[in-house]
Amino acid sequence: MLTDFHQKSLVLLSEQLNSKGLDIHSLISKIAAFQIAVPSWALGAGGTRFGRFSIGGEPRNLEEKLEDIGLLAKLTKRTDAVSLHIPWDIPQDVNAIQQKAASLGIRFDAMNSNTFQDYGQALTYKMGSLSNADAAVRSQAVEHNLQVIEIGKSLGSKGLTVWLADGSNFPGQAHFRNALKWTIESLQEIYAEMPDDWKLLLEYKPYEPNFYHTVIPDWGTSALICRQLGDRAKVLVDLGHHLPNTNIEQIVATLMHQNLLAGFHFNDSKYGDDDLSTGSIKPYQLFLVFCELIGGAAEGAQAWESISWMIDASHNTKDPLEDLIQALEAISQAYAKALLVDREKLAQCQNVGDVVGAQEVLQDAFLTDVRSLVREARIQSGGEADPLAFYRSEKIREKLIAQRGVNAQASGL
Ligand code: PSV
Ligand code: MN
């Protein structure tokens, strides 16, 4: 049934694309090649401070997290990497973990340090980590990041993602300039120890968990810190880390113009959160972000290969694996639609001030139904035609619950 429908839709789309001079085979291979890392903390039911509703059968250890990502890879063919969070995922046996990952076709994407939880050293980071007024606390946070690099090296990772919860809750609590200065100095210590073939991905976030000020609130602050670190430090854009209505696609263009874009954490946001499923609220924004990415790479601003891709969402009420399947699909669709944009025509419209024409060019691509294209890329890569339907019909969650237990809970947010 789906096969018939799929073939018919693909033929129609192929004719439509041909008439616009687009080659469906080259589109399919681009879509198939685009892989997005999954963070190890996304495999368990998330939650808020008000409650956590376990889904059951969550991965109980790193091996099982890799198995879940291996399953996603097998079904969707859209992910081939895991992003680990330390100390949530310290590998007990590095060789065994490497072998397990290799057997599942999973590589290790950027490592994430964690200086927002104290883990036994109660209250150490209450007043900040890399920005703390106490030099001993700063050293401890630097040391933690160096340990993360060591673990990452042993696994073959090539990047360190730093997100700081540092900031303050009330006016007067922190000395803005000192906090920034100490953060830069601490990051310089970390950067100095990073292997030459690694990159440092520096996140920003305007608020939460601190609600008055954060030390790295925006892309500009992150960018100026990166400039003081070196060429291998770049800005990581987490889609949810912006105030409502921020023009994220413009931020992407600006960062690419400066060769300063490290990569993405994909999620969506209605108000100011960073937890909703990518593409569930603002699919047009996601498409516009991809338009800038494709344009920036095509026009030589920054190489496509230099950009990292990862999902970073939380699953309060959804089965995490189902949510990740939806997110991978939404990202692939946005990318596929952006590939359809007639860039030449867009440039012509921009050059002669044809505002209406420019909008038509973008909307023509955005309103194209690319589901059969994305599906075909998946099928040709050996994935499932409909991963979500397969997941449900094969009762995979039920099997995971039988295997791991109804109370199995993954570490993470
Ligand atoms: C913070 O909200 C964040 O988005 C950062 O990306 C972290 O790396 C991630 O959550 C998990 O800690
Ligand atoms: Mn993030």
Side-chain angles (χ1 to χ4, degrees):
M1 187 65 177
L2 172 68
T3 326
D4 271 5
F5 173 76
H6 171 63
Q7 286 309 336
K8 281 182 194 149
S9 341
L10 193 64
V11 170
L12 278 176
L13 182 63
S14 178
E15 282 168 10
Q16 195 185 335
L17 297 179
N18 262 334
S19 71
K20 293 178 180 166
L22 288 161
D23 172 32
I24 196 158
H25 302 292
S26 118
L27 289 168
I28 288 173
S29 51
K30 280 185 185 157
I31 297 164
F34 187 48
Q35 301 289 314
I36 304 132
V38 171
S40 57
W41 62 92
L43 301 158
T48 67
R49 67 186 189 278
F50 302 108
R52 188 173 188 279
F53 308 102
S54 177
I55 191 84
E58 293 177 24
R60 293 164 294 184
N61 49 45
L62 184 48
E63 284 81 353
E64 290 183 354
K65 289 180 179 182
L66 292 175
E67 283 167 17
D68 279 9
I69 298 176
L71 173 75
L72 284 172
K74 194 162 152 251
L75 302 188
T76 67
K77 294 289 171 186
R78 284 296 157 272
T79 181
D80 65 355
V82 59
S83 188
L84 297 187
H85 211 301
I86 305 297
W88 295 336
D89 306 300
I90 296 176
Q92 301 308 321
D93 179 341
V94 169
N95 286 338
I97 287 297
Q98 268 179 325
Q99 276 174 21
K100 178 103 198 171
S103 72
L104 296 162
I106 303 296
R107 60 184 177 81
F108 292 92
D109 201 71
M111 304 292 292
N112 299 266
S113 58
N114 178 331
T115 54
F116 51 88
Q117 284 173 321
D118 284 307
Y119 282 102
Q121 301 121 20
L123 308 185
T124 310
Y125 297 134
K126 185 177 178 185
M127 294 297 161
S129 60
L130 297 182
S131 73
N132 200 296
D134 181 343
V137 175
R138 296 202 296 277
S139 290
Q140 185 176 323
V142 168
E143 193 50 41
H144 165 70
N145 277 276
L146 300 187
Q147 280 165 3
V148 175
I149 293 175
E150 283 309 310
I151 297 172
K153 271 160 63 177
S154 73
L155 293 169
S157 169
K158 296 286 177 210
L160 172 71
T161 296
V162 176
W163 171 67
L164 298 178
D166 294 31
S168 60
N169 269 307
F170 296 97
Q173 179 186 329
H175 186 296
F176 292 150
R177 275 180 288 111
N178 280 345
L180 182 60
K181 173 176 161 290
W182 288 324
T183 300
I184 295 171
E185 287 170 1
S186 304
L187 285 167
Q188 281 168 334
E189 285 182 50
I190 296 165
Y191 187 85
E193 297 298 321
M194 217 175 55
D196 290 346
D197 58 349
W198 274 48
K199 71 172 170 182
L200 192 146
L201 303 91
L202 189 60
E203 279 195 76
Y204 56 92
K205 187 175 183 181
Y207 65 90
E208 198 201 31
N210 279 292
F211 291 97
Y212 170 62
H213 115 278
T214 51
V215 177
I216 312 180
D218 52 33
W219 68 273
T221 310
S222 175
L224 71 84
I225 295 174
C226 288
R227 283 265 189 260
Q228 294 196 46
L229 297 180
D231 289 347
R232 288 174 295 115
K234 294 188 194 301
V235 180
L236 189 144
V237 177
D238 181 314
L239 293 177
H241 291 189
H242 301 92
L243 298 176
N245 301 326
T246 298
N247 188 338
I248 304 177
E249 54 271 26
Q250 186 191 1
I251 294 173
V252 170
T254 305
L255 290 173
M256 284 186 91
H257 179 63
Q258 296 290 313
N259 195 9
L260 263 176
L261 178 63
F264 280 84
H265 279 182
F266 290 112
N267 51 56
D268 215 333
S269 158
K270 177 72 178 163
Y271 302 104
D273 45 279
D274 57 358
D275 286 344
L276 302 183
S277 318
T278 315
S280 64
I281 307 284
K282 287 171 276 190
Y284 194 54
Q285 173 184 269
L286 190 59
F287 159 79
L288 292 174
V289 163
F290 272 104
C291 290
E292 291 308 324
L293 286 162
I294 291 170
E299 289 156 25
Q302 187 176 335
W304 184 262
E305 298 69 35
S306 68
I307 303 168
S308 303
W309 318 98
M310 193 186 93
I311 292 173
D312 183 12
S314 170
H315 325 279
N316 203 8
T317 46
K318 281 178 172 175
D319 176 330
L321 289 172
E322 291 196 347
D323 182 72
L324 288 163
I325 291 172
Q326 287 184 316
L328 290 166
E329 177 69 14
I331 297 165
S332 298
Q333 282 183 22
Y335 174 49
K337 289 179 181 201
L339 286 171
L340 306 186
V341 171
D342 186 337
R343 304 206 61 82
E344 229 170 89
K345 208 163 165 187
L346 183 64
Q348 279 165 14
C349 294
Q350 289 171 346
N351 291 339
V352 298
D354 184 357
V355 186
V356 171
Q359 181 178 326
E360 288 296 305
V361 170
L362 290 181
Q363 299 224 336
D364 186 41
F366 179 68
L367 295 173
T368 305
D369 184 350
V370 294
R371 287 176 294 179
S372 59
L373 191 60
V374 170
R375 194 185 300 125
E376 183 62 18
R378 191 164 51 239
I379 294 171
Q380 287 191 15
S381 310
E384 284 299 321
D386 186 341
L388 196 53
F390 180 89
Y391 181 87
R392 289 189 166 191
S393 68
E394 289 298 307
K395 301 197 178 317
I396 293 181
R397 179 55 62 186
E398 288 83 337
K399 286 177 188 161
L400 290 172
I401 291 174
Q403 191 191 323
R404 300 171 180 170
V406 74
N407 294 320
Q409 277 199 359
S411 55
L413 293 177

